[in-house]
Amino acid sequence: LANFGFAGGTTALFSTAWNRLALLTTVEMVAAHRLYERLGFRRAPDRDWQPEPGVNLIGYELDLGP
């Protein structure tokens, strides 16, 4: 499991399995959400979480195939 932080700590990318990538992003990063969806990521509400009060992260996953 790898965990990568991005500028401002607003987005994290990590590998959940060898055949899937998951990422977390803040709800405010609407342009990033559109980019992720164009790249094939799908919303993964089961990955949403709040690491601290006021920081709401939403999950996306990308299936890399078998």
Side-chain angles (χ1 to χ4, degrees):
L1 179 69
N3 189 358
F4 304 94
F6 292 91
T10 57
T11 305
L13 175 68
F14 55 93
S15 174
T16 61
W18 293 111
N19 62 352
R20 185 178 310 143
L21 289 178
L23 63 83
L24 296 169
T25 184
T26 59
V27 296
E28 297 85 8
M29 295 183 66
V30 178
H33 304 167
R34 288 192 303 264
L35 174 63
Y36 303 145
E37 290 167 4
R38 281 196 304 263
L39 292 172
F41 282 85
R42 299 287 178 248
R43 274 285 287 122
D46 58 312
R47 296 196 173 278
D48 294 357
W49 73 299
Q50 188 179 40
E52 60 184 62
V55 179
N56 298 305
L57 301 177
I58 59 173
Y60 282 87
E61 289 184 343
L62 175 65
D63 185 7
L64 301 176

